[in-house]
Amino acid sequence: EAQVTQNPRYLITVTGKKLTVTCSQNMNHEYMSWYRQDPGLGLRQIYYSMNVEVTDKGDVPEGYKVSRKEKRNFPLILESPSPNQTSLYFCASSLEASSSYNEQFFGPGTRLTVL
Amino acid sequence: DAKTTQPNSMESNEEEPVHLPCNHSTISGTDYIHWYRQLPSQGPEYVIHGLTSNVNNRMASLAIAEDRKSSTLILHRATLRDAAVYYCILRRGGSNYKLTFGKGTLLTVNP
């Protein structure tokens, strides 16, 4: 089944404890992206990747890192999480980055709480 | 990306058609109109997209005004599983396939 998977689905952690949220897609998509969703603010893009070894900042990259060593994986890294990073995170992928009509596939989400 | 305007909420009865409007008066000639929906506790899901002509797929129909300044997502027979937030998004080709989500329309389907 074609899908985007994220792990963990739920995570409660404490301020400053490094964590990684994994994202994997099995559709051979070039483009991958991370969003966060907060009440009243909608979904906002954190980072994106056009292809392997090519990543760039989205609208709200502060406090996050990403890497794209393999086409299928795009982990989101929080080196020193803070309470304002408590949010619902979605990973997404698309066949190509430059096309304006390709649909984007989203993962099921990771609910992160930073105490 | 150009801005879209949608009603905050709409209500429908099960088995009846639903017309979800979207205004996008600043749309440019190369903007595609995309619709996504987000069911409770799930990630957004692609519904349909179009450029100029009306479009149909297994989930819905998309009616685009002749001047392209508005569009309507049509669910032909609403079911309880269609209760979700529906987002109308304009997508311009470029180097970052970012989707700019607004607040969307919360659709409630009554049994």
Side-chain angles (χ1 to χ4, degrees):
Chain A
E1 179 190 355
Q3 59 183 348
V4 178
T5 56
Q6 296 178 225
N7 282 291
R9 294 289 313 280
Y10 303 90
L11 179 61
I12 300 174
T13 189
V14 295
T15 299
K17 187 176 180 182
K18 180 179 179 180
L19 66 92
T20 299
V21 183
T22 65
C23 173
S24 182
Q25 50 91 8
N26 61 0
M27 296 168 279
N28 201 37
H29 283 172
E30 288 184 353
Y31 179 89
M32 297 185 75
S33 178
W34 277 101
Y35 295 84
R36 61 178 287 175
Q37 185 172 31
D38 302 289
L41 296 176
L43 280 98
R44 295 175 292 168
Q45 190 185 53
I46 304 170
Y47 267 95
Y48 66 96
S49 171
M50 304 279 286
N51 213 325
V52 176
E53 301 293 359
V54 181
T55 64
D56 209 345
K57 297 176 181 178
D59 296 322
V60 289
E62 295 77 22
Y64 305 95
K65 285 174 57 178
V66 292
S67 69
R68 187 92 181 272
K69 294 185 172 58
E70 307 165 280
K71 201 170 189 179
R72 64 182 294 128
N73 296 323
F74 190 45
L76 179 69
I77 303 156
L78 284 72
E79 295 268 3
S80 183
S82 62
N84 65 11
Q85 292 178 298
T86 293
S87 186
L88 180 57
Y89 292 86
F90 290 103
C91 181
S93 73
S94 179
L95 185 59
E96 296 170 333
S98 58
S99 169
S100 54
Y101 51 79
N102 285 159
E103 68 179 278
Q104 202 155 128
F105 293 82
F106 284 80
T110 295
R111 185 166 293 282
L112 172 66
T113 301
V114 183
L115 302 175
Chain B
D1 292 326
K3 185 176 167 58
T4 63
T5 303
Q6 300 177 252
N8 289 333
S9 62
M10 291 185 66
E11 207 166 317
S12 172
N13 295 320
E14 205 174 4
E15 309 267 317
E16 291 183 357
V18 181
H19 291 233
L20 296 163
C22 181
N23 287 319
H24 29 78
S25 58
T26 59
I27 191 171
S28 80
T30 56
D31 286 341
Y32 277 78
I33 301 161
H34 287 246
W35 285 81
Y36 281 73
R37 71 180 185 181
Q38 188 171 17
L39 279 64
S41 303
Q42 294 190 28
E45 172 188 35
Y46 167 83
V47 178
I48 200 167
H49 74 270
L51 183 61
T52 56
S53 304
N54 294 345
V55 184
N56 300 298
N57 66 20
R58 62 174 179 82
M59 289 181 70
S61 296
L62 177 59
I64 301 173
E66 199 168 327
D67 62 6
R68 300 207 329 125
K69 293 186 177 181
S70 65
S71 61
T72 302
L73 179 70
I74 303 165
L75 307 179
H76 295 286
R77 289 181 66 194
T79 69
L80 296 178
R81 291 173 53 192
D82 291 322
V85 178
Y86 286 78
Y87 298 98
C88 170
I89 300 166
L90 299 185
R91 169 71 187 122
R92 187 170 301 172
S95 61
N96 177 10
Y97 188 27
K98 177 178 69 173
L99 294 173
T100 301
F101 288 81
K103 290 185 167 47
T105 296
L106 175 62
L107 175 66
T108 301
V109 180
N110 300 313

Short mmCIF file of all heavy atoms in Angstrom, two decimals, chain A residues 9 31 35 37 40 42-43 45 48 50 59 88 90 94 96-104 106-108, chain B residues 30 32 34 36 38 41-46 49 87 91-103:
data_model
loop_
_atom_site.label_atom_id
_atom_site.label_comp_id
_atom_site.label_asym_id
_atom_site.label_seq_id
_atom_site.Cartn_x
_atom_site.Cartn_y
_atom_site.Cartn_z
N ARG A 9 3.86 8.11 16.87
CA ARG A 9 2.62 8.83 16.65
C ARG A 9 2.33 9.81 17.79
O ARG A 9 1.72 10.84 17.59
CB ARG A 9 1.46 7.84 16.53
CG ARG A 9 1.54 6.94 15.31
CD ARG A 9 1.25 7.71 14.02
NE ARG A 9 0.09 8.55 14.15
CZ ARG A 9 -1.17 8.13 14.05
NH1 ARG A 9 -1.40 6.85 13.80
NH2 ARG A 9 -2.17 8.97 14.17
N TYR A 31 9.92 14.65 -3.63
CA TYR A 31 9.68 15.77 -2.73
C TYR A 31 9.13 15.29 -1.40
O TYR A 31 8.21 14.47 -1.34
CB TYR A 31 8.69 16.74 -3.38
CG TYR A 31 8.34 17.94 -2.55
CD1 TYR A 31 9.08 19.10 -2.63
CD2 TYR A 31 7.24 17.92 -1.68
CE1 TYR A 31 8.76 20.22 -1.88
CE2 TYR A 31 6.91 19.02 -0.92
CZ TYR A 31 7.67 20.17 -1.03
OH TYR A 31 7.35 21.27 -0.27
N TYR A 35 5.36 19.69 8.11
CA TYR A 35 4.47 20.76 8.52
C TYR A 35 4.19 20.59 10.00
O TYR A 35 4.23 19.50 10.55
CB TYR A 35 3.12 20.68 7.80
CG TYR A 35 3.15 20.89 6.30
CD1 TYR A 35 3.43 19.84 5.43
CD2 TYR A 35 2.84 22.13 5.75
CE1 TYR A 35 3.43 20.04 4.06
CE2 TYR A 35 2.83 22.33 4.38
CZ TYR A 35 3.12 21.28 3.54
OH TYR A 35 3.11 21.47 2.18
N GLN A 37 1.01 21.76 12.76
CA GLN A 37 -0.35 22.30 12.80
C GLN A 37 -0.68 22.72 14.21
O GLN A 37 -0.61 21.92 15.15
CB GLN A 37 -1.37 21.24 12.34
CG GLN A 37 -2.79 21.77 12.24
CD GLN A 37 -3.73 20.77 11.60
OE1 GLN A 37 -3.56 19.57 11.71
NE2 GLN A 37 -4.73 21.29 10.89
N GLY A 40 -5.66 27.61 15.31
CA GLY A 40 -5.72 29.01 14.90
C GLY A 40 -4.65 29.43 13.91
O GLY A 40 -4.74 30.51 13.32
N GLY A 42 -3.27 27.02 11.57
CA GLY A 42 -3.29 26.13 10.41
C GLY A 42 -2.01 25.32 10.29
O GLY A 42 -1.24 25.19 11.25
N LEU A 43 -1.77 24.79 9.10
CA LEU A 43 -0.54 24.04 8.84
C LEU A 43 0.51 24.98 8.29
O LEU A 43 0.26 25.76 7.37
CB LEU A 43 -0.79 22.93 7.81
CG LEU A 43 -1.43 21.67 8.35
CD1 LEU A 43 -2.92 21.68 8.11
CD2 LEU A 43 -0.80 20.45 7.70
N GLN A 45 4.68 25.16 6.99
CA GLN A 45 5.79 24.32 6.55
C GLN A 45 7.05 24.60 7.36
O GLN A 45 7.42 25.76 7.56
CB GLN A 45 6.06 24.55 5.06
CG GLN A 45 7.04 23.55 4.47
CD GLN A 45 7.39 23.88 3.03
OE1 GLN A 45 7.80 24.99 2.71
NE2 GLN A 45 7.23 22.91 2.16
N TYR A 48 11.61 21.44 3.81
CA TYR A 48 11.26 20.60 2.68
C TYR A 48 12.52 20.09 2.00
O TYR A 48 13.62 20.60 2.23
CB TYR A 48 10.36 21.34 1.68
CG TYR A 48 11.02 22.50 0.97
CD1 TYR A 48 11.59 22.34 -0.29
CD2 TYR A 48 11.03 23.77 1.56
CE1 TYR A 48 12.17 23.42 -0.95
CE2 TYR A 48 11.63 24.85 0.91
CZ TYR A 48 12.19 24.67 -0.34
OH TYR A 48 12.76 25.73 -0.98
N MET A 50 13.78 18.71 -1.93
CA MET A 50 13.46 18.50 -3.34
C MET A 50 13.92 17.13 -3.81
O MET A 50 13.36 16.57 -4.75
CB MET A 50 14.17 19.57 -4.18
CG MET A 50 13.82 20.98 -3.77
SD MET A 50 12.25 21.47 -4.47
CE MET A 50 12.77 21.72 -6.15
N ASP A 59 8.62 27.92 6.28
CA ASP A 59 8.21 29.16 6.93
C ASP A 59 8.62 29.25 8.40
O ASP A 59 8.83 30.34 8.92
CB ASP A 59 6.68 29.31 6.83
CG ASP A 59 6.23 29.44 5.39
OD1 ASP A 59 6.93 30.10 4.60
OD2 ASP A 59 5.16 28.89 5.05
N LEU A 88 1.21 19.37 16.51
CA LEU A 88 0.91 18.19 15.72
C LEU A 88 1.73 18.30 14.44
O LEU A 88 1.60 19.29 13.71
CB LEU A 88 -0.58 18.13 15.42
CG LEU A 88 -1.10 16.96 14.59
CD1 LEU A 88 -0.75 15.62 15.23
CD2 LEU A 88 -2.61 17.09 14.40
N PHE A 90 3.12 16.87 10.71
CA PHE A 90 2.79 16.04 9.56
C PHE A 90 3.94 16.03 8.58
O PHE A 90 4.51 17.06 8.24
CB PHE A 90 1.54 16.56 8.83
CG PHE A 90 0.29 16.38 9.60
CD1 PHE A 90 -0.30 17.46 10.25
CD2 PHE A 90 -0.34 15.15 9.66
CE1 PHE A 90 -1.47 17.31 10.95
CE2 PHE A 90 -1.52 14.98 10.37
CZ PHE A 90 -2.08 16.06 11.02
N SER A 94 5.51 14.10 -2.34
CA SER A 94 4.91 14.29 -3.65
C SER A 94 5.88 13.78 -4.69
O SER A 94 7.10 13.81 -4.50
CB SER A 94 4.59 15.76 -3.88
OG SER A 94 4.02 15.96 -5.14
N GLU A 96 6.89 14.96 -7.64
CA GLU A 96 7.85 15.95 -8.10
C GLU A 96 7.65 17.24 -7.33
O GLU A 96 6.55 17.53 -6.89
CB GLU A 96 7.66 16.24 -9.59
CG GLU A 96 7.93 15.06 -10.48
CD GLU A 96 7.50 15.34 -11.90
OE1 GLU A 96 6.59 16.17 -12.11
OE2 GLU A 96 8.08 14.73 -12.82
N ALA A 97 8.69 18.02 -7.22
CA ALA A 97 8.59 19.27 -6.47
C ALA A 97 8.09 20.41 -7.32
O ALA A 97 7.39 21.29 -6.84
CB ALA A 97 9.95 19.62 -5.88
N SER A 98 8.42 20.42 -8.57
CA SER A 98 8.17 21.62 -9.36
C SER A 98 6.80 21.64 -10.03
O SER A 98 6.35 22.66 -10.49
CB SER A 98 9.24 21.77 -10.44
OG SER A 98 9.25 20.62 -11.26
N SER A 99 6.13 20.52 -10.05
CA SER A 99 4.84 20.50 -10.71
C SER A 99 3.78 21.13 -9.83
O SER A 99 3.76 20.93 -8.62
CB SER A 99 4.45 19.06 -11.02
OG SER A 99 3.10 18.99 -11.42
N SER A 100 2.87 21.86 -10.43
CA SER A 100 1.84 22.54 -9.64
C SER A 100 0.58 21.71 -9.53
O SER A 100 -0.39 22.13 -8.92
CB SER A 100 1.51 23.89 -10.26
OG SER A 100 1.17 23.74 -11.60
N TYR A 101 0.59 20.48 -10.10
CA TYR A 101 -0.64 19.71 -10.04
C TYR A 101 -0.49 18.37 -9.34
O TYR A 101 -1.46 17.70 -9.08
CB TYR A 101 -1.22 19.49 -11.44
CG TYR A 101 -0.24 18.94 -12.44
CD1 TYR A 101 0.09 17.59 -12.47
CD2 TYR A 101 0.37 19.78 -13.37
CE1 TYR A 101 1.00 17.10 -13.39
CE2 TYR A 101 1.28 19.30 -14.29
CZ TYR A 101 1.59 17.95 -14.30
OH TYR A 101 2.49 17.47 -15.21
N ASN A 102 0.74 17.96 -9.01
CA ASN A 102 0.89 16.70 -8.31
C ASN A 102 0.27 16.76 -6.92
O ASN A 102 0.46 17.73 -6.20
CB ASN A 102 2.38 16.35 -8.14
CG ASN A 102 3.00 15.86 -9.43
OD1 ASN A 102 4.20 15.91 -9.58
ND2 ASN A 102 2.20 15.38 -10.35
N GLU A 103 -0.46 15.74 -6.56
CA GLU A 103 -1.05 15.71 -5.24
C GLU A 103 0.02 15.39 -4.21
O GLU A 103 1.03 14.77 -4.51
CB GLU A 103 -2.17 14.69 -5.16
CG GLU A 103 -1.72 13.25 -5.27
CD GLU A 103 -2.89 12.28 -5.17
OE1 GLU A 103 -3.30 11.99 -4.04
OE2 GLU A 103 -3.37 11.83 -6.22
N GLN A 104 -0.25 15.87 -3.00
CA GLN A 104 0.68 15.64 -1.90
C GLN A 104 0.05 14.63 -0.95
O GLN A 104 -1.14 14.71 -0.62
CB GLN A 104 0.96 16.96 -1.19
CG GLN A 104 2.24 16.98 -0.40
CD GLN A 104 2.79 18.39 -0.21
OE1 GLN A 104 3.08 18.78 0.91
NE2 GLN A 104 2.93 19.13 -1.26
N PHE A 106 0.01 12.85 2.77
CA PHE A 106 0.37 13.18 4.14
C PHE A 106 0.42 11.94 5.02
O PHE A 106 -0.35 10.99 4.81
CB PHE A 106 -0.65 14.16 4.74
CG PHE A 106 -0.48 15.56 4.24
CD1 PHE A 106 -0.96 15.94 3.00
CD2 PHE A 106 0.19 16.51 5.01
CE1 PHE A 106 -0.79 17.22 2.53
CE2 PHE A 106 0.35 17.80 4.55
CZ PHE A 106 -0.13 18.16 3.31
N GLY A 107 1.31 11.98 5.99
CA GLY A 107 1.35 10.94 7.00
C GLY A 107 0.25 11.13 8.03
O GLY A 107 -0.50 12.11 7.97
N PRO A 108 0.15 10.20 8.99
CA PRO A 108 -0.94 10.25 9.96
C PRO A 108 -0.74 11.27 11.07
O PRO A 108 -1.66 11.56 11.83
CB PRO A 108 -0.93 8.84 10.55
CG PRO A 108 0.48 8.40 10.41
CD PRO A 108 0.99 9.01 9.14
N THR B 30 -1.54 30.87 -13.99
CA THR B 30 -0.85 29.59 -13.86
C THR B 30 -1.17 28.87 -12.55
O THR B 30 -0.60 27.83 -12.26
CB THR B 30 0.67 29.78 -13.95
OG1 THR B 30 1.06 30.72 -12.94
CG2 THR B 30 1.07 30.30 -15.31
N TYR B 32 -3.03 26.51 -10.11
CA TYR B 32 -3.97 25.41 -10.05
C TYR B 32 -4.80 25.54 -8.77
O TYR B 32 -4.31 26.01 -7.75
CB TYR B 32 -3.24 24.06 -10.02
CG TYR B 32 -2.82 23.56 -11.38
CD1 TYR B 32 -1.71 24.08 -12.03
CD2 TYR B 32 -3.55 22.55 -12.02
CE1 TYR B 32 -1.34 23.61 -13.28
CE2 TYR B 32 -3.18 22.08 -13.26
CZ TYR B 32 -2.07 22.62 -13.89
OH TYR B 32 -1.70 22.16 -15.12
N HIS B 34 -6.50 23.58 -5.87
CA HIS B 34 -6.46 22.28 -5.20
C HIS B 34 -7.44 22.27 -4.05
O HIS B 34 -7.62 23.28 -3.36
CB HIS B 34 -5.07 22.01 -4.63
CG HIS B 34 -4.02 21.70 -5.66
ND1 HIS B 34 -3.42 20.46 -5.74
CD2 HIS B 34 -3.47 22.44 -6.63
CE1 HIS B 34 -2.54 20.48 -6.72
NE2 HIS B 34 -2.54 21.67 -7.27
N TYR B 36 -8.09 19.96 -0.53
CA TYR B 36 -7.71 18.91 0.39
C TYR B 36 -8.75 18.88 1.51
O TYR B 36 -9.45 19.86 1.74
CB TYR B 36 -6.32 19.17 1.00
CG TYR B 36 -5.18 18.81 0.09
CD1 TYR B 36 -4.87 19.60 -1.01
CD2 TYR B 36 -4.41 17.69 0.33
CE1 TYR B 36 -3.82 19.27 -1.85
CE2 TYR B 36 -3.35 17.34 -0.51
CZ TYR B 36 -3.07 18.14 -1.60
OH TYR B 36 -2.03 17.80 -2.43
N GLN B 38 -9.32 17.34 5.71
CA GLN B 38 -8.70 16.75 6.88
C GLN B 38 -9.78 16.19 7.78
O GLN B 38 -10.55 16.95 8.39
CB GLN B 38 -7.84 17.76 7.63
CG GLN B 38 -7.01 17.15 8.74
CD GLN B 38 -6.01 18.13 9.33
OE1 GLN B 38 -6.12 19.34 9.15
NE2 GLN B 38 -5.02 17.61 10.05
N SER B 41 -8.54 13.83 13.45
CA SER B 41 -7.39 13.03 13.90
C SER B 41 -6.62 12.37 12.75
O SER B 41 -5.97 11.34 12.95
CB SER B 41 -7.85 11.94 14.87
OG SER B 41 -8.52 12.51 15.97
N GLN B 42 -6.68 12.96 11.57
CA GLN B 42 -5.92 12.41 10.45
C GLN B 42 -5.15 13.52 9.74
O GLN B 42 -5.38 14.71 9.96
CB GLN B 42 -6.86 11.73 9.45
CG GLN B 42 -7.54 10.49 9.99
CD GLN B 42 -8.26 9.73 8.91
OE1 GLN B 42 -7.88 9.78 7.74
NE2 GLN B 42 -9.30 8.99 9.28
N GLY B 43 -4.24 13.11 8.88
CA GLY B 43 -3.51 14.07 8.06
C GLY B 43 -4.38 14.53 6.90
O GLY B 43 -5.36 13.89 6.54
N PRO B 44 -4.04 15.68 6.31
CA PRO B 44 -4.79 16.14 5.14
C PRO B 44 -4.77 15.11 4.02
O PRO B 44 -3.82 14.34 3.89
CB PRO B 44 -4.05 17.42 4.74
CG PRO B 44 -3.40 17.89 5.99
CD PRO B 44 -3.01 16.64 6.71
N GLU B 45 -5.82 15.14 3.23
CA GLU B 45 -6.00 14.17 2.16
C GLU B 45 -6.38 14.91 0.89
O GLU B 45 -7.27 15.77 0.91
CB GLU B 45 -7.10 13.19 2.57
CG GLU B 45 -7.55 12.22 1.52
CD GLU B 45 -8.78 11.43 1.96
OE1 GLU B 45 -9.64 12.01 2.66
OE2 GLU B 45 -8.88 10.25 1.59
N TYR B 46 -5.73 14.60 -0.21
CA TYR B 46 -6.05 15.22 -1.49
C TYR B 46 -7.45 14.85 -1.92
O TYR B 46 -7.88 13.69 -1.80
CB TYR B 46 -5.03 14.76 -2.53
CG TYR B 46 -5.40 15.07 -3.96
CD1 TYR B 46 -5.14 16.32 -4.51
CD2 TYR B 46 -5.99 14.11 -4.77
CE1 TYR B 46 -5.46 16.60 -5.83
CE2 TYR B 46 -6.31 14.38 -6.09
CZ TYR B 46 -6.04 15.62 -6.60
OH TYR B 46 -6.37 15.90 -7.90
N HIS B 49 -8.22 18.58 -8.01
CA HIS B 49 -7.63 19.84 -8.43
C HIS B 49 -8.06 20.14 -9.87
O HIS B 49 -8.47 19.24 -10.61
CB HIS B 49 -6.11 19.82 -8.32
CG HIS B 49 -5.43 19.02 -9.38
ND1 HIS B 49 -5.14 17.68 -9.24
CD2 HIS B 49 -4.99 19.36 -10.62
CE1 HIS B 49 -4.53 17.24 -10.34
NE2 HIS B 49 -4.44 18.23 -11.20
N TYR B 87 -10.13 22.32 2.63
CA TYR B 87 -9.25 23.43 2.32
C TYR B 87 -9.18 23.65 0.81
O TYR B 87 -8.95 22.71 0.05
CB TYR B 87 -7.82 23.13 2.81
CG TYR B 87 -7.68 22.95 4.30
CD1 TYR B 87 -7.65 21.68 4.86
CD2 TYR B 87 -7.54 24.05 5.15
CE1 TYR B 87 -7.49 21.50 6.22
CE2 TYR B 87 -7.38 23.88 6.51
CZ TYR B 87 -7.36 22.61 7.04
OH TYR B 87 -7.20 22.44 8.39
N ARG B 91 -2.19 26.70 -6.02
CA ARG B 91 -0.85 26.17 -6.14
C ARG B 91 -0.21 26.66 -7.43
O ARG B 91 -0.67 26.35 -8.51
CB ARG B 91 -0.90 24.65 -6.11
CG ARG B 91 0.37 23.98 -6.48
CD ARG B 91 1.44 24.14 -5.42
NE ARG B 91 2.70 23.60 -5.93
CZ ARG B 91 3.82 24.29 -6.05
NH1 ARG B 91 3.87 25.54 -5.65
NH2 ARG B 91 4.90 23.72 -6.53
N ARG B 92 0.89 27.42 -7.27
CA ARG B 92 1.62 27.91 -8.44
C ARG B 92 2.87 27.06 -8.62
O ARG B 92 3.53 26.73 -7.65
CB ARG B 92 2.00 29.37 -8.23
CG ARG B 92 2.61 30.04 -9.44
CD ARG B 92 2.70 31.54 -9.18
NE ARG B 92 1.38 32.11 -8.91
CZ ARG B 92 1.19 33.37 -8.51
NH1 ARG B 92 2.22 34.15 -8.31
NH2 ARG B 92 -0.03 33.82 -8.29
N GLY B 93 3.19 26.71 -9.81
CA GLY B 93 4.37 25.90 -10.08
C GLY B 93 5.62 26.62 -9.64
O GLY B 93 5.71 27.83 -9.70
N GLY B 94 6.58 25.88 -9.18
CA GLY B 94 7.81 26.49 -8.71
C GLY B 94 8.69 25.48 -8.05
O GLY B 94 8.51 24.28 -8.22
N SER B 95 9.64 25.95 -7.31
CA SER B 95 10.63 25.04 -6.76
C SER B 95 10.23 24.44 -5.42
O SER B 95 10.88 23.53 -4.95
CB SER B 95 11.96 25.77 -6.59
OG SER B 95 11.79 26.86 -5.68
N ASN B 96 9.22 24.94 -4.80
CA ASN B 96 8.81 24.39 -3.50
C ASN B 96 7.33 24.08 -3.52
O ASN B 96 6.51 24.98 -3.60
CB ASN B 96 9.11 25.39 -2.37
CG ASN B 96 8.63 24.88 -1.02
OD1 ASN B 96 8.26 23.71 -0.87
ND2 ASN B 96 8.63 25.74 -0.03
N TYR B 97 7.02 22.79 -3.46
CA TYR B 97 5.61 22.41 -3.51
C TYR B 97 4.97 22.60 -2.14
O TYR B 97 4.42 21.66 -1.58
CB TYR B 97 5.50 20.97 -3.98
CG TYR B 97 4.09 20.51 -4.24
CD1 TYR B 97 3.10 21.41 -4.60
CD2 TYR B 97 3.75 19.18 -4.12
CE1 TYR B 97 1.81 21.00 -4.84
CE2 TYR B 97 2.46 18.76 -4.36
CZ TYR B 97 1.49 19.66 -4.72
OH TYR B 97 0.23 19.24 -4.96
N LYS B 98 5.06 23.82 -1.63
CA LYS B 98 4.44 24.11 -0.35
C LYS B 98 2.95 24.31 -0.55
O LYS B 98 2.52 24.99 -1.47
CB LYS B 98 5.05 25.37 0.25
CG LYS B 98 4.42 25.78 1.56
CD LYS B 98 5.09 27.01 2.13
CE LYS B 98 4.81 28.24 1.31
NZ LYS B 98 5.34 29.46 1.98
N LEU B 99 2.17 23.72 0.31
CA LEU B 99 0.74 23.97 0.32
C LEU B 99 0.46 24.97 1.43
O LEU B 99 0.81 24.73 2.58
CB LEU B 99 -0.04 22.68 0.56
CG LEU B 99 0.05 21.62 -0.54
CD1 LEU B 99 -0.61 20.34 -0.10
CD2 LEU B 99 -0.58 22.15 -1.82
N THR B 100 -0.15 26.09 1.09
CA THR B 100 -0.48 27.10 2.08
C THR B 100 -1.94 26.88 2.50
O THR B 100 -2.86 27.21 1.75
CB THR B 100 -0.28 28.51 1.51
OG1 THR B 100 1.08 28.65 1.11
CG2 THR B 100 -0.62 29.55 2.56
N PHE B 101 -2.10 26.32 3.68
CA PHE B 101 -3.43 26.01 4.20
C PHE B 101 -4.00 27.21 4.92
O PHE B 101 -3.35 27.79 5.78
CB PHE B 101 -3.37 24.84 5.17
CG PHE B 101 -3.12 23.51 4.53
CD1 PHE B 101 -1.83 23.13 4.18
CD2 PHE B 101 -4.16 22.63 4.28
CE1 PHE B 101 -1.59 21.90 3.60
CE2 PHE B 101 -3.93 21.39 3.70
CZ PHE B 101 -2.65 21.03 3.36
N GLY B 102 -5.24 27.58 4.58
CA GLY B 102 -5.96 28.59 5.34
C GLY B 102 -6.72 27.90 6.46
O GLY B 102 -6.34 26.82 6.91
N LYS B 103 -7.80 28.51 6.90
CA LYS B 103 -8.60 27.94 7.98
C LYS B 103 -9.57 26.87 7.47
O LYS B 103 -10.03 26.03 8.22
CB LYS B 103 -9.36 29.03 8.72
CG LYS B 103 -8.47 29.94 9.55
CD LYS B 103 -9.27 30.92 10.36
CE LYS B 103 -8.45 31.62 11.43
NZ LYS B 103 -7.16 32.14 11.00
#
